[in-house]
Amino acid sequence: ASSCPNLIECGLYGTQVTDVGVQALASSCRNLTEIDLGFTQVTDVGAQALASSCRNLITIYLNSTHVTDVGAHALASSCRNLTAIHLYNTQVTDVGAQAIASSCRNLTKITLSGTRVTDVGAQALGMCSDFWSRDAMTSPRAARDLLICCASFISFPVTPDLTTRSEPARSTR
Protein backbone atom coordinates (compact mmCIF):
# COMPACT_ATOMS: atom_id res chain seq x y z
CA ALA A 1 0.00 0.00 0.00
CA SER A 2 2.88 2.39 0.65
CA SER A 3 3.75 2.22 -3.05
CA CYS A 4 0.25 3.45 -4.02
CA PRO A 5 -0.31 6.67 -2.06
CA ASN A 6 -2.64 8.03 -4.78
CA LEU A 7 -5.04 5.09 -4.60
CA ILE A 8 -8.63 6.35 -4.39
CA GLU A 9 -10.65 3.14 -4.93
CA CYS A 10 -9.92 -0.29 -3.53
CA GLY A 11 -11.91 -3.52 -3.88
CA LEU A 12 -11.04 -6.33 -1.48
CA TYR A 13 -14.44 -8.06 -1.45
CA GLY A 14 -14.29 -11.69 -0.39
CA THR A 15 -10.57 -11.73 0.40
CA GLN A 16 -8.81 -12.89 3.56
CA VAL A 17 -7.99 -9.28 4.54
CA THR A 18 -8.01 -8.53 8.27
CA ASP A 19 -7.64 -5.40 10.37
CA VAL A 20 -3.85 -5.59 9.97
CA GLY A 21 -4.10 -5.13 6.21
CA VAL A 22 -6.75 -2.42 6.51
CA GLN A 23 -4.61 -0.49 9.02
CA ALA A 24 -1.62 -0.58 6.64
CA LEU A 25 -3.81 0.44 3.70
CA ALA A 26 -5.47 3.27 5.63
CA SER A 27 -2.18 4.73 6.87
CA SER A 28 -0.64 4.76 3.39
CA CYS A 29 -3.65 5.53 1.18
CA ARG A 30 -5.23 8.53 2.85
CA ASN A 31 -6.93 9.65 -0.39
CA LEU A 32 -9.27 6.66 -0.54
CA THR A 33 -12.80 7.64 -1.52
CA GLU A 34 -14.23 4.15 -2.02
CA ILE A 35 -13.40 0.80 -0.45
CA ASP A 36 -15.13 -2.56 -0.58
CA LEU A 37 -14.30 -4.82 2.36
CA GLY A 38 -17.38 -6.98 2.11
CA PHE A 39 -17.04 -10.60 3.21
CA THR A 40 -13.64 -10.04 4.85
CA GLN A 41 -12.43 -10.52 8.42
CA VAL A 42 -12.51 -6.79 9.18
CA THR A 43 -13.73 -5.64 12.62
CA ASP A 44 -14.22 -2.30 14.34
CA VAL A 45 -10.44 -1.93 14.51
CA GLY A 46 -10.22 -1.76 10.71
CA ALA A 47 -13.22 0.55 10.49
CA GLN A 48 -11.64 2.87 13.07
CA ALA A 49 -8.35 2.89 11.12
CA LEU A 50 -10.20 3.95 7.99
CA ALA A 51 -12.15 6.57 9.92
CA SER A 52 -9.04 8.16 11.39
CA SER A 53 -6.91 8.10 8.23
CA CYS A 54 -9.28 8.20 5.25
CA ARG A 55 -11.58 11.11 6.00
CA ASN A 56 -12.42 11.58 2.31
CA LEU A 57 -14.30 8.29 2.08
CA ILE A 58 -17.50 8.62 0.07
CA THR A 59 -18.50 4.97 -0.28
CA ILE A 60 -17.72 2.04 2.00
CA TYR A 61 -18.86 -1.56 1.80
CA LEU A 62 -18.60 -3.53 5.05
CA ASN A 63 -21.17 -6.21 4.22
CA SER A 64 -20.80 -9.46 6.18
CA THR A 65 -17.89 -8.21 8.29
CA HIS A 66 -17.49 -8.15 12.07
CA VAL A 67 -18.24 -4.42 12.34
CA THR A 68 -20.47 -3.22 15.20
CA ASP A 69 -21.82 0.13 16.37
CA VAL A 70 -18.29 1.11 17.39
CA GLY A 71 -17.04 0.98 13.80
CA ALA A 72 -20.21 2.56 12.41
CA HIS A 73 -19.92 5.43 14.90
CA ALA A 74 -16.23 6.00 14.09
CA LEU A 75 -16.95 6.17 10.35
CA ALA A 76 -19.99 8.40 10.82
CA SER A 77 -18.20 10.88 13.05
CA SER A 78 -14.97 11.10 11.02
CA CYS A 79 -16.04 10.56 7.41
CA ARG A 80 -18.58 13.32 7.04
CA ASN A 81 -18.62 13.09 3.23
CA LEU A 82 -20.00 9.55 3.16
CA THR A 83 -22.77 9.21 0.61
CA ALA A 84 -23.05 5.42 0.79
CA ILE A 85 -22.46 3.00 3.63
CA HIS A 86 -23.25 -0.68 3.25
CA LEU A 87 -23.50 -2.65 6.50
CA TYR A 88 -25.52 -5.68 5.37
CA ASN A 89 -25.26 -8.64 7.77
CA THR A 90 -23.13 -6.88 10.42
CA GLN A 91 -23.65 -6.48 14.16
CA VAL A 92 -24.83 -2.87 13.81
CA THR A 93 -27.83 -1.89 15.99
CA ASP A 94 -29.98 1.19 16.46
CA VAL A 95 -27.02 2.96 18.08
CA GLY A 96 -25.00 2.72 14.86
CA ALA A 97 -27.96 3.71 12.70
CA GLN A 98 -28.57 6.75 14.91
CA ALA A 99 -24.88 7.77 14.70
CA ILE A 100 -25.00 7.53 10.91
CA ALA A 101 -28.28 9.45 10.71
CA SER A 102 -27.00 12.28 12.91
CA SER A 103 -23.57 12.68 11.29
CA CYS A 104 -23.76 11.69 7.62
CA ARG A 105 -25.71 14.54 6.08
CA ASN A 106 -24.61 13.66 2.53
CA LEU A 107 -25.89 10.10 2.78
CA THR A 108 -27.79 8.87 -0.27
CA LYS A 109 -27.51 5.08 0.17
CA ILE A 110 -27.48 2.79 3.18
CA THR A 111 -27.85 -0.96 3.47
CA LEU A 112 -28.83 -2.31 6.88
CA SER A 113 -30.43 -5.61 5.89
CA GLY A 114 -29.50 -8.45 8.20
CA THR A 115 -28.45 -6.14 11.04
CA ARG A 116 -29.95 -5.65 14.48
CA VAL A 117 -31.56 -2.33 13.55
CA THR A 118 -35.15 -1.95 14.80
CA ASP A 119 -37.85 0.70 14.45
CA VAL A 120 -35.74 3.06 16.58
CA GLY A 121 -32.91 3.08 14.02
CA ALA A 122 -35.35 3.28 11.14
CA GLN A 123 -37.03 6.26 12.76
CA ALA A 124 -33.66 8.01 13.17
CA LEU A 125 -32.96 7.53 9.47
CA GLY A 126 -36.51 8.59 8.63
CA MET A 127 -35.91 11.93 10.33
CA CYS A 128 -33.19 12.83 7.83
CA SER A 129 -35.23 14.95 5.43
CA ASP A 130 -32.38 15.23 2.92
CA PHE A 131 -31.99 11.46 3.08
CA TRP A 132 -35.62 10.89 2.08
CA SER A 133 -35.63 13.51 -0.64
CA ARG A 134 -33.01 11.43 -2.47
CA ASP A 135 -34.79 8.07 -2.08
CA ALA A 136 -31.78 6.57 -0.34
CA MET A 137 -32.71 3.22 1.13
CA THR A 138 -31.28 0.37 -0.94
CA SER A 139 -32.17 -2.77 0.95
CA PRO A 140 -35.09 -4.81 -0.42
CA ARG A 141 -38.43 -3.32 0.62
CA ALA A 142 -36.61 -0.91 2.97
CA ALA A 143 -38.09 2.33 1.71
CA ARG A 144 -41.65 0.98 1.88
CA ASP A 145 -41.10 -0.71 5.24
CA LEU A 146 -39.41 2.34 6.69
CA LEU A 147 -42.27 4.56 5.57
CA ILE A 148 -44.70 2.15 7.22
CA CYS A 149 -42.63 2.25 10.42
CA CYS A 150 -42.49 6.03 10.47
CA ALA A 151 -46.20 6.31 9.80
CA SER A 152 -46.83 3.83 12.59
CA PHE A 153 -44.82 5.90 15.04
CA ILE A 154 -47.08 8.83 14.32
CA SER A 155 -50.36 6.92 14.45
CA PHE A 156 -49.78 4.09 16.89
CA PRO A 157 -47.41 3.48 19.80
CA VAL A 158 -47.12 -0.20 18.84
CA THR A 159 -44.59 -1.78 16.54
CA PRO A 160 -46.01 -2.61 13.09
CA ASP A 161 -45.89 -6.21 11.88
CA LEU A 162 -43.72 -6.02 8.77
CA THR A 163 -43.21 -9.76 8.46
CA THR A 164 -46.77 -10.75 7.57
CA ARG A 165 -47.42 -10.55 3.86
CA SER A 166 -50.48 -11.56 1.88
CA GLU A 167 -50.33 -13.80 -1.14
CA PRO A 168 -49.83 -11.97 -4.46
CA ALA A 169 -52.90 -11.35 -6.61
CA ARG A 170 -53.56 -14.03 -9.21
CA SER A 171 -55.03 -13.61 -12.63
CA THR A 172 -58.58 -14.92 -13.14
CA ARG A 173 -57.91 -15.78 -16.77
Side-chain angles (χ1 to χ4, degrees):
S2 62
S3 61
C4 302
N6 295 321
L7 190 67
I8 58 171
E9 291 183 17
C10 184
L12 295 167
Y13 175 92
T15 64
Q16 296 301 308
V17 168
T18 66
D19 294 329
V20 174
V22 173
Q23 288 171 315
L25 184 68
S27 67
S28 298
C29 304
R30 295 179 177 268
N31 294 320
L32 279 176
T33 59
E34 182 173 332
I35 188 162
D36 187 346
L37 295 168
F39 293 87
T40 63
Q41 299 302 310
V42 174
T43 70
D44 292 330
V45 174
Q48 289 170 315
L50 288 167
S52 64
S53 298
C54 304
R55 294 180 181 256
N56 294 322
L57 275 175
I58 295 171
T59 301
I60 186 163
Y61 295 87
L62 292 167
N63 299 328
S64 292
T65 60
H66 302 284
V67 172
T68 70
D69 294 330
V70 173
H73 185 270
L75 289 164
S77 61
S78 296
C79 303
R80 301 280 180 144
N81 294 323
L82 277 175
T83 60
I85 185 165
H86 302 277
L87 296 164
Y88 166 82
N89 200 31
T90 60
Q91 298 302 309
V92 173
T93 69
D94 294 330
V95 173
Q98 289 169 322
I100 293 166
S102 66
S103 298
C104 299
R105 294 297 178 197
N106 295 319
L107 199 65
T108 60
K109 293 181 183 177
I110 188 167
T111 306
L112 294 168
S113 301
T115 64
R116 296 179 179 178
V117 173
T118 69
D119 293 344
V120 173
Q123 184 181 27
L125 291 169
M127 291 182 176
C128 300
S129 60
D130 289 344
F131 181 78
W132 280 110
S133 66
R134 293 185 293 241
D135 191 28
M137 294 299 282
T138 60
S139 76
R141 303 179 320 272
R144 183 181 55 77
D145 290 352
L146 189 51
L147 285 172
I148 291 169
C149 285
C150 292
S152 296
F153 278 116
I154 295 165
S155 304
F156 305 101
V158 252
T159 305
D161 179 7
L162 300 177
T163 58
T164 304
R165 306 235 191 273
S166 62
E167 290 294 317
R170 299 185 196 268
S171 175
T172 56
R173 292 182 187 199

